[in-house]
Amino acid sequence: MSSIDVPLRQGRFGQTSRRDLWWVQPLVVFCALSAFLIYANWAAFQGEHFRFGPYLSPFYSPELWGDPVESWFGAKPAWWPGWLPFSAAIIILWAPAGFRVTCYYYRGAYYKAFWADPPSCTVGEPRTHYRGENSFPLIVQNIHRYFLYLALIFLFFLAHDVWKALWFTDSAGAATFGIGVGTLVLAVNVTLLGGYALGCHSLRHLIGGRRDLFTSNTRRNAYVCVSCLNRRHMLWAWMSLFWVAFSDIYVRLCSMGIWTDWRLL
Amino acid sequence: MAQATFRIWRGDSQNGSFQDYNVESAPGMVVLDAVHDIQGSQAPDLAVRWNCKAGRCGSCSAEINGNPKLMCMTRMSTLDLSQPITVEPMRAFPLVRDLVAHVGSNYRAKKSIRPFKPRPPDFPDGTWRMHQRDVDRVQEFRKCIECFLCQDVCHVLRNHGLHEQFIGPRLFVYSAALEMHPLDTESRAGALKHSHGIGFCNITKCCTKVCPEEITITDNAIIPLKERVVDEYYDPIRRLFRVFTG
């Protein structure tokens, strides 16, 4: 029997008795979210190469202002501040971004990866003071359900983009039905975003979780369906995040002539 | 048989240290077996709390290699025996001695939760009828064995010591079992926000990861309770709706 002096109290930042590679997961989350943030900001401020044939990048959908012909309300609005570079994406991206930032899954993930609060389970933290989501600014996370409402509206626009991606203009200028790789890319995108948004914890609450009695089998079935998606919420969150960026890359590279969009039908 | 070295915390709330003990590892052995072996042959004064040795009583909670676990459910074959196996008491609670922590704060906090208040009986014989579809949700919460591993791993209690302001995951599961019960008429949203500190939870899901009963604590208990608090206090449209509907 030998003796080793180790104080039994919560220690400094990073102190733990864990032997596994606990730092890998927060590091991967940090790198993945940082890479997405950098790319999404870069792509949003480009303001070009977001349309190719019938395809529209999901970062720019719906295009409220921008292209005088294709957008809903015409060119750049007069009220747009002169010092801020204009892009059709900036006007809309705050809504899906807000949905992800206030998402219950992402909150837990980025509190660990970006704030080390905590860095991982049973690992020492850098700060002694803690307020959680009780006060400003994190109390604002409670508006998640309002971003959900917006995200559900966006799903309709993105589904409509898939419909439009089925109609190609032929050499005579007529719209003909077709399916390209880009059509599939956009279809997968709306499917993954649907799986993510429809498995939202707030939707699960609003659709039936807020009640102690379901009152009908329809409500109960709806709750079960949302719960089913909710069980894999993390997976949907990451797959949809990756694919929405890939969809933009696909449209962008096709528009720049670097990639060729193959017609399947 | 393989040799295993156990590095066990010995001491009380004032001072202590880790001490190493060598144990022969036999097939099928769990950590609690090894601790009993040490207690029987090398350290008869080693304090350890245990009872059923079957993962049902929740008594033998400890931290094994830094991970909160039940000692009776942690097989030696799942551990790397080439390095010393660290066994510590739960760090989120005051230490009594060696591997025994004082978990009394959890029972005090439990008393602060409004008890079950059923609606009037549905039938003259004093009974109620419930649909299985309404009961399904709360049945998961009844699996809790009160091992308090979720309380131990929660950084709000463990790292910040907010035991007086935050009741912790176990008691949110208890609150959810009452709050979502189809017969219950009591509202606990106010207490959850003001005195039970649900806003301190930042959804790390550590509690879900350590639960030996695999209760989905964060997704099925804490987040639904957070949403009920949002209904009551942070949703302006719902508040406006309540003004008109009373």
Side-chain angles (χ1 to χ4, degrees):
Chain A
M1 189 179 85
S2 62
S3 179
I4 301 157
D5 290 327
V6 180
L8 187 71
R9 72 174 74 94
Q10 191 52 45
R12 61 189 179 279
F13 173 44
Q15 186 173 337
T16 180
S17 301
R18 283 176 65 173
R19 304 262 177 77
D20 57 334
L21 301 175
W22 59 264
W23 46 270
V24 170
Q25 191 177 7
L27 182 65
V28 169
V29 170
F30 179 85
C31 293
L33 287 181
S34 298
F36 180 83
L37 278 173
I38 291 166
Y39 176 75
N41 275 287
W42 176 83
F45 277 100
Q46 292 306 297
E48 55 182 6
H49 296 302
F50 57 85
R51 196 182 282 282
F52 177 71
Y55 309 145
L56 175 63
S57 161
F59 282 178
Y60 287 79
S61 179
E63 191 184 359
L64 301 179
W65 284 277
D67 187 302
V69 180
E70 299 277 1
S71 66
W72 292 14
F73 305 117
K76 175 181 162 183
W79 47 262
W80 190 260
W83 52 268
L84 188 64
F86 176 76
S87 158
I90 308 169
I91 297 175
I92 55 156
L93 273 187
W94 58 271
F99 181 59
R100 292 211 185 243
V101 167
T102 59
C103 164
Y104 283 103
Y105 164 68
Y106 281 115
R107 274 147 72 174
Y110 66 71
Y111 288 146
K112 284 182 185 168
F114 287 80
W115 273 271
D117 207 3
S120 191
C121 306
T122 72
V123 178
E125 297 179 21
R127 290 169 292 274
T128 53
H129 186 62
Y130 178 75
R131 291 186 300 180
E133 296 182 340
N134 273 321
S135 54
F136 188 80
L138 296 184
I139 201 167
V140 177
Q141 305 276 30
N142 289 307
I143 62 169
H144 181 54
R145 61 181 57 174
Y146 286 95
F147 282 116
L148 165 70
Y149 303 144
L150 293 171
L152 294 177
I153 295 169
F154 271 68
L155 281 182
F156 284 103
F157 294 132
L158 294 171
H160 184 61
D161 288 343
V162 176
W163 170 254
K164 287 201 293 188
L166 291 166
W167 300 95
F168 294 81
T169 307
D170 62 17
S171 53
T176 57
F177 178 80
I179 295 176
V181 172
T183 313
L184 299 181
V185 168
L186 295 183
V188 170
N189 180 54
V190 74
T191 305
L192 294 176
L193 287 171
Y196 171 55
L198 297 175
C200 166
H201 291 88
S202 287
L203 182 63
R204 189 179 181 223
H205 171 76
L206 295 165
I207 212 157
R210 66 194 170 89
R211 291 170 173 265
D212 296 339
L213 298 168
F214 283 115
T215 66
S216 73
N217 281 328
T218 309
R219 186 183 293 278
R220 152 83 183 167
N221 291 340
Y223 176 80
V224 168
C225 287
V226 175
S227 298
C228 183
L229 291 171
N230 182 265
R231 274 193 284 277
R232 294 276 179 273
H233 200 48
M234 179 183 83
L235 186 65
W236 288 111
W238 282 111
M239 288 197 307
S240 61
L241 188 81
F242 168 78
W243 203 266
V244 77
F246 176 72
S247 302
D248 181 81
I249 290 169
Y250 186 85
V251 173
R252 186 172 298 280
L253 294 183
C254 286
S255 170
M256 293 169 76
I258 297 170
W259 281 1
T260 304
D261 179 54
W262 287 29
R263 279 287 291 276
L264 305 173
L265 264 181
Chain B
M1 285 196 294
Q3 276 277 336
T5 302
F6 276 81
R7 187 161 287 170
I8 298 179
W9 177 261
R10 301 299 311 271
D12 55 24
S13 58
Q14 301 305 312
N15 53 48
S17 63
F18 281 103
Q19 294 184 2
D20 286 359
Y21 302 93
N22 293 320
V23 174
E24 294 278 341
S25 174
M29 200 169 179
V30 294
V31 169
L32 186 59
D33 290 328
V35 170
H36 281 162
D37 187 313
I38 293 163
Q39 198 181 39
S41 59
Q42 302 175 60
D45 60 339
L46 172 64
V48 56
R49 185 185 282 134
W50 69 283
N51 197 342
C52 74
K53 217 183 152 198
R56 307 309 312 158
C57 72
S59 300
C60 62
S61 303
E63 298 187 11
I64 301 164
N65 286 343
N67 296 302
K69 286 172 180 281
L70 294 178
M71 286 191 280
C72 70
M73 299 304 286
T74 308
R75 287 188 174 274
M76 297 281 283
S77 57
T78 64
L79 302 171
D80 177 11
L81 302 187
S82 66
Q83 295 184 63
I85 298 159
T86 309
V87 185
E88 304 164 68
M90 293 191 285
R91 284 171 174 254
F93 305 109
L95 182 63
V96 177
R97 191 161 71 86
D98 300 339
L99 298 180
V100 179
H102 196 285
V103 295
S105 59
N106 299 302
Y107 299 113
R108 281 200 305 279
K110 196 172 186 179
K111 285 181 183 166
S112 71
I113 297 168
R114 285 186 188 169
F116 181 61
K117 185 180 168 188
R119 66 177 186 237
D122 298 336
F123 298 97
D125 64 355
T127 59
W128 293 267
R129 295 292 180 275
M130 294 181 282
H131 282 285
Q132 184 60 42
R133 68 183 182 213
D134 296 321
V135 179
D136 281 343
R137 259 187 312 177
V138 293
Q139 281 184 327
E140 179 189 16
F141 307 139
R142 303 294 291 265
K143 293 194 298 180
C144 179
I145 57 172
E146 294 204 321
C147 60
F148 302 123
L149 290 174
C150 57
Q151 303 282 88
D152 180 47
V153 80
C154 177
H155 76 119
V156 182
L157 301 173
R158 178 188 185 86
N159 294 359
H160 301 288
L162 297 174
H163 294 76
E164 299 304 317
Q165 298 159 63
F166 179 72
I167 58 174
R170 158 57 196 145
L171 296 166
F172 287 131
V173 167
Y174 180 64
S175 296
L178 298 172
E179 186 68 13
M180 297 176 193
H181 195 289
L183 298 186
D184 185 65
T185 56
E186 192 67 86
S187 173
R188 295 167 187 83
L192 286 166
K193 177 181 185 291
H194 298 297
S195 54
H196 295 162
I198 198 163
F200 282 112
C201 171
N202 67 346
I203 322 147
T204 62
K205 298 199 178 188
C206 293
C207 49
T208 303
K209 285 175 191 159
V210 301
C211 180
E213 288 295 308
E214 297 182 345
I215 301 170
T216 316
I217 299 173
T218 317
D219 293 289
N220 290 350
I222 298 178
I223 293 175
L225 290 178
K226 272 180 172 267
E227 284 292 314
R228 288 185 182 216
V229 171
V230 173
D231 278 351
E232 201 74 28
Y233 295 98
Y234 299 116
D235 187 335
I237 293 177
R238 194 172 285 271
R239 293 191 83 165
L240 192 65
F241 184 73
R242 274 202 302 272
V243 169
F244 292 109
T245 58

